[in-house]
Amino acid sequence: MFSDPGGGAGLCSLARRERELASLYETAKSLTALGEPDEVLQSIVRHAYDLIRTEFTYLSLVGADGLLSVRASQGAVSAAFLEGGIPTDVGLAGKVLASRTPHWVRHYATATVIDHDPDLDRVITTEGIVALLGVPLVVRGRAVGALFAADRSERAFHADEIALLGAFADHAAVALDNARLYEASRTALRELQIAYGRIEEHMTVVERAQAIHEALTGVVLRGGTPGDVTQLLADQLGGSVTLLDPYGAARVRRESASSPCPTATGTGLADAVEDARRSGRSTTTVDAAAVAHSVASIQAGDSYLGALVWTREPVPGHGVPHETDLRTLERATHILGLLILKERAVAEAGERLSGELLTELMVAGPGISPAQRARAQARDIDTERLDLVLVADSATLSSTELARRLHDLARARCGLAGEHLGRATMILPSTDDERTAEEVHRVLRRTLGGPVAVVAERVVRQDWARAFSLAGRCGAVMRAIGHTDLGATTGRYALYAMIFDSERAGELDRFISDSIGPLLEYDRRRGTDLVDTLSTYYVHRANVAATARALYVHVNTLLKRLDRADSVLGLDWRRANDLELQLGLRLHRLRGIATG
């Protein structure tokens, strides 16, 4: 008999190897048995801790912020160590991630093979870490983290320990990759389900929209009216439907026979109507009585034709109406737009005749031909009494739209209206010109809901063209001096008559020549702009700094210009009586606006 001295060590090594393999096998099974990645990673760290026998093990991953943070740990480790993140290019972790191979240090604080970071070294020292082994977690060729084993005393790590920790890291990488693939599959499935639901919803919307569209089209083909379309919508949608005109007044109201609802009055809907008009889509609001109103604007190009209001009792839990119903409401506005345009076409035929006759009087005058007089009489208009020309201007409405508003006024006052030379114009009988101008302004102001300027000029010897020219030029002067919301005659602006009266152009030329003629001539010959410089200077009350800012020039540049004006004018205009100079500059600018 003989004894084997190394037999005991061999048996211990074999037993340890069996435990390692069994642990790896259990870890591999956990990859399929556990659903959450964090549970799998914690299981891997726990098995590594039991087998490698270091004081603690932990696993860190690179997060979306680019920092390495602990995701699982086992052993005596402080909460402070587990919090926060560290850069991925420092310490042992930086070396492991960069090389994608295992690395270890016997004594971390004195190791020279790693890049030390003061903040990280402070955490390592506080935790008492001395020996540290790290192996990479590689997923599809990319290092996404590392698995670490640490001791608080100096030691070396053997090849079998490194291989064992690397095997656990490989399992962790598989778990992470499986989790990523699983999440991607679940996301794709959710997106597919959402897409399928949207397809079904879209098909429902298409089928319902097609049925209602066919019904609306049938109404139009049968010669239906806006009232017929409104009734059809009330029957289809329930509640009540109201058609508002461009001024917000209710034109048609219809209720559903099966589910009637109090009709909209227009009060409190102004904001919703404006939102729908601005956005081009329907807007829904709920009033204090919990009644819901959905508003869709009726438009044709830039022309606002009115609005459609659907009113109904809100369904509990469904404050917002179904998208299908809102699209139905919006599509109905297209049909109503066509019907309203058809009605307008008939009215505009009469307006066109009025506008054409107005233009003929403007172009052919002074005087009127027998044929023109006969055409006017056919419209119950006495041309002998058309003695006041009015020109209207609005910053928010085109001349064409403004002229359309004037037609209603002209018919009521036995006058003519139209668009002449790009301006909304009207010719009326008048016994009190100032009062007539104010009344027309008041009516327009109310219907437009915004500022409008109306200027009137009396017609002399049927010379409508001259009255139009004076009123139009006076209107330009009114805008230039900030008068944009009033009704007045040109007589109120007699102070500026020399600007807008072409017959007084000679007087204006002489005054401007006497006051600022040298400056104008200098600017013409030298290509300078002394006239504008002095105008801006006076507008800013002779404040040099403010004038320089307004002209976008340096103060020194402005001073040089002012000195040049001294030499051109030949007088000390900054200290002398400069009233005539200021008037000349002001009149020169206003003349450019009026004639332009």
Side-chain angles (χ1 to χ4, degrees), residues 32 73 140 158 241 274 372 397 462:
T32 56
S73 65
R140 298 183 182 273
H158 302 296
V241 179
E274 182 59 30
Q372 292 167 341
L397 208 63
Q462 294 187 331

Side-chain angles (χ1 to χ4, degrees), residues 127-138:
E127 193 62 29
I129 296 176
V130 178
L132 184 63
L133 165 63
V135 294
L137 274 69
V138 180

Side-chain angles (χ1 to χ4, degrees), residues 98-122:
S99 65
R100 289 186 293 180
T101 57
H103 288 279
W104 61 274
V105 291
R106 182 185 298 273
H107 193 282
Y108 189 93
T110 60
T112 58
V113 296
I114 61 176
D115 294 329
H116 286 273
D117 177 76
D119 294 333
L120 177 59
D121 287 354
R122 190 178 307 110

Side-chain angles (χ1 to χ4, degrees), residues 271-314:
D271 291 341
V273 171
E274 182 59 30
D275 288 344
R277 181 177 179 180
R278 184 172 54 253
S279 66
R281 302 301 300 270
S282 59
T283 299
T284 299
T285 183
V286 179
D287 62 22
V291 176
H293 308 277
S294 294
V295 182
S297 174
I298 305 174
Q299 295 192 210
D302 295 333
S303 299
Y304 174 64
L305 306 179
L308 202 55
V309 183
W310 170 36
T311 303
R312 73 277 179 208
E313 299 288 351

Side-chain angles (χ1 to χ4, degrees), residues 216 219-220 222-235 240-244 250-256 298 308 332 335-337 339-340 343:
L216 290 172
V219 170
V220 176
R222 291 191 300 270
T225 66
D228 297 330
V229 173
T230 306
Q231 184 64 62
L232 173 63
L233 288 173
D235 293 338
S240 66
V241 179
T242 304
L243 175 61
L244 301 179
R251 176 180 171 180
V252 178
R253 289 194 182 102
R254 295 290 187 271
E255 288 191 358
S256 168
I298 305 174
L308 202 55
I335 301 296
L336 284 169
L339 294 178
I340 293 172
E343 292 179 344

Side-chain angles (χ1 to χ4, degrees), residues 472-523:
R473 290 189 175 191
C474 183
V477 173
M478 289 167 58
R479 291 193 303 273
I481 61 179
H483 297 179
T484 58
D485 190 18
L486 81 165
T489 64
T490 59
R492 188 183 298 187
Y493 293 88
L495 177 64
Y496 300 94
M498 192 164 54
I499 300 170
F500 58 79
D501 191 346
S502 58
E503 293 182 358
R504 300 184 63 182
E507 300 176 43
L508 181 60
D509 288 340
R510 283 193 298 274
F511 183 83
I512 291 177
S513 178
D514 292 341
S515 57
I516 64 170
L519 290 175
L520 292 170
E521 179 62 20
Y522 187 89
D523 284 345

Side-chain angles (χ1 to χ4, degrees), residues 199-221:
I199 291 174
E200 287 186 326
E201 181 181 352
H202 178 69
M203 290 302 298
T204 302
V205 170
V206 170
E207 291 174 358
R208 177 169 179 172
Q210 182 178 359
I212 297 179
H213 182 73
E214 290 176 355
L216 290 172
T217 303
V219 170
V220 176
L221 294 178

Side-chain angles (χ1 to χ4, degrees), residues 560-580:
K560 291 179 180 179
R561 291 186 185 181
L562 297 178
D563 290 340
R564 193 175 303 123
D566 288 344
S567 61
V568 172
L569 292 172
L571 52 86
D572 192 357
W573 54 271
R574 277 179 278 183
R575 283 185 287 273
N577 183 6
D578 57 355
L579 177 59
E580 183 177 346

